[in-house]
Structure formats: C-alpha cells, structure tokens
Amino acid sequence: MTVEQATDPALAAAALDQAGDAIIAIDHAGTITLWNQKCTELFGFTAEQAIGEPVEIIIPENLRTAHEHGFGAAMESGHLASDGRARRTKGITADGGKVYVTMTFAVINDAEGTAIGAVAVAREYVKES
C-alpha cells in the first residue's frame, strides 16, 4: 500500500502540523514547499513567510556554500553523501538570531528515482549537563 492509498489528506496535514519536530520540505531548486508549526516555533517564520522562499532564509551565511554544494550533489545523485545521522548545526531565526538545532536530512525521489527535493527534520539542540 502506498502513502497516497493510505492517507487521509486532512489527517496527513494535521499530523505534519502537530508533529513534535520541525519538518521542512524543499524542492529541487531549494525553495521551501512545506513548513509545519514546529518550524514556526523553532525559527520564528510563519508558514506564510517561509513557503516559497529559498531555504537560505534559515541558513547562516557562513554555512551556505557548504549547503549549496551538498544539496546540489544530492539533487544530482539522488542520495546523500553523508550517513543520514542527525547533525548539529545553526539556523537563523526570523528576528536575525541564531538557534542551534539537530537535523536529519533525506532526498525526496520521484517514482523513477529522480531527486525532486529534500526533507529536513529539526529540533532545538539542548546541551545536556
């Protein structure tokens, strides 16, 4: 059974919006296409402010070149060069501040296996003492 066959669109939308982690989807060009409520809580941008914008709105300037290189390679190859484990990084908030997050990433492929975008799942990084 595929997701399309099993999913009630209203349930899927509610699940995304009520998930405990921030879920961001971007298209092949790096434009934000999905932004759930936890993204708003974590980064401060509303869905209306974020959707349609380049994902760089949440990536610090000094990390953008690495992001562009990794994202471009993933879109070309259809998979991540990394091991898929969670990574700690910094993000930019709507007020220009910084937030430390733990993120996982995945390439989104179409039925033919061609990369069409990516999804990231993030949560605020809290250093345990």
Side-chain angles (χ1 to χ4, degrees):
M1 183 177 295
T2 67
V3 172
E4 291 83 9
Q5 293 168 326
T7 302
D8 171 345
L11 178 61
L16 278 172
D17 216 36
Q18 295 175 35
D21 291 325
I23 302 171
I24 307 161
I26 60 176
D27 65 15
H28 194 273
T31 302
I32 297 170
T33 61
L34 184 139
W35 185 267
N36 73 349
Q37 180 58 37
K38 282 294 181 185
C39 290
T40 298
E41 294 171 21
L42 189 58
F43 296 105
F45 296 96
T46 65
E48 293 78 16
Q49 293 171 313
I51 293 173
E53 294 297 320
V55 72
E56 286 82 8
I57 66 169
I58 63 167
I59 300 173
E61 184 83 31
N62 66 322
L63 300 177
R64 289 180 185 169
T65 299
H67 163 76
E68 290 167 10
H69 176 74
F71 181 71
M75 291 300 97
E76 190 172 312
S77 69
H79 66 274
L80 296 174
S82 67
D83 58 13
R85 288 192 289 171
R87 305 275 186 224
R88 269 183 294 172
T89 190
K90 282 191 277 188
I92 298 174
T93 60
D95 64 5
K98 300 274 193 278
V99 61
Y100 288 88
V101 295
T102 302
M103 296 185 97
T104 59
F105 305 92
V107 173
I108 302 169
N109 294 307
D110 64 15
E112 289 77 40
T114 302
I116 58 171
V119 61
V121 177
R123 65 175 48 175
E124 187 168 8
Y125 173 72
V126 180
K127 186 175 181 180
E128 295 185 24
S129 48

